[in-house]
Amino acid sequence: RQAAAIVREQAAAWDRVVVVVSAMSGVTDALVRGARTAAAGDGETYGAIAAELRARHRDVVGALPSLDGEGAALLADVDGVLDAFATFCRSVHVLGEATPRAMDAISSLGERLSAGILAALLRRQGCPSQAVDARQLVVTDDAFQGAVPLLDETRAAVARRLLPLLEGGTVPVVTGFLGANRQGVTTTLGRGGSDCSAAILGVAAGADEVWIWTDVNGVMSADPRLVAAARTVPCLSYAEVGELAYFGARVLHPRTIRPVVEHGIPLWVKNTFDPACPGTRIVAGPESTPGTVKAVTAIEGLSMVTVEGRGMLGVPGIAARTFAAVAGQGASVLMISQASSEQSISFVVPGAAVAPVVRAVEGEMARELARRDVDRVWSLDDVTIVTAVGAGMRATPGVAHRIFGALARAGINVVAIAQGSECSLSLLLAAADARQAVRRIHEEVIEP
Ligand code: ASP
Ligand code: MG
């Protein structure tokens, strides 16, 4: 109801509005769990999940009494989608595997349910609306579970199928998260992909603005569960959003906003449950007061790997080979630091990747290790990266001093430091210190 109220308000305020929806909370997780358990030989769980989801969606439909006659048709749709879920899971169970393609067919069903319900509610409330299956609009490559939309094809499909609805005064409610490849096979854009759907449809439809409605007041200056005084950041540049997303803040994925950035379309992040709060505006260029830090974030569950040896000094290629070995394990590197003595290289990877990464680097350096040019490859576990983000630290002396001062006063030791873009400063800390560090930086550097 809240979502419908927002749509009606915006539909009255703007000439044309396209709505993109996610699945209801927890639904995609449940669908994925159904598929995984079925693949693992469990022939029962998916049936229970189907029953649970059926009950939940039926409850929602039932709680919207204004649906009247539409209610029965909608319930039939809900049943149809969940029957498909059970059928897909049964096949997965028989085959004993859930291929990426099967996972997409299954995990995309939640959006099909939510779009139908919202469109029906809008219609009943007097707002002409129609659910649109994104497989008719969003054309993607074949990378199941992380497909990339193809802009030209998508633009053509939008012109054919979406613009006429808008011209006719209808508010389309498009399923987020999913699309189809050129052959029409269902794909998904990766978890959390509805934002990405909104961005690509915004570009393809030539939107004036794209608004992302979430469940918090825009992008916050810190995780509100950690910092009670966390507040909405009024404006962020694309670069700052990228830093925040990379360093663990659950904001927009930079990939999501890229098409919007490139086309200079303003983007807002707003709160469904507090629509009056202006939220966060995301703009292309930097927009900052010199010396200010906007947000602080932490990414947990990491390990630092160090390659060290006196024989590395002045030897070209050690870094290239090290990182090639890391890449070979499919691990992403979150932070790198090398002392100018060239006697060690340290980098941070997710904790789950550390054992294979150390083995791979040792394998790559086998000769150097035997010759003692490299002394050892080792890891420090249970570390957290705490990152302060703000373009205001660019070219302003003293920001790092304030950050380090805040940590020093709390007696927190810094293991390693990296400053990349000059709009973020990352500190590697023992996991046990991270929460306290976030609070101190917020209190002493962001709040004033
Ligand atoms: N429903 C999908 C997910 O949970 C997409 C989204 O929520 O953006 O990943
Ligand atoms: Mg979601």
Side-chain angles (χ1 to χ4, degrees), residues 22-23 28 111 177 191-194:
S22 275
T28 312
E111 275 72 8
F177 182 44
R191 293 304 308 272
S194 297

Side-chain angles (χ1 to χ4, degrees), residues 21-29 31-32 107-108 110-111 114 176-178 188-197:
V21 288
S22 275
M24 292 203 294
S25 171
V27 170
T28 312
D29 285 337
L31 296 167
V32 167
S107 64
S108 61
E111 275 72 8
S114 59
F177 182 44
L178 60 130
T188 65
L189 312 181
R191 293 304 308 272
S194 297
D195 297 344
C196 190
S197 307

Side-chain angles (χ1 to χ4, degrees), residues 121-141:
L121 178 58
L122 287 168
R123 278 195 299 274
R124 294 306 299 179
Q125 294 178 333
C127 171
S129 178
Q130 187 181 318
V132 179
D133 189 324
R135 288 176 294 185
Q136 301 191 344
L137 301 176
V138 179
V139 185
T140 73
D141 66 9

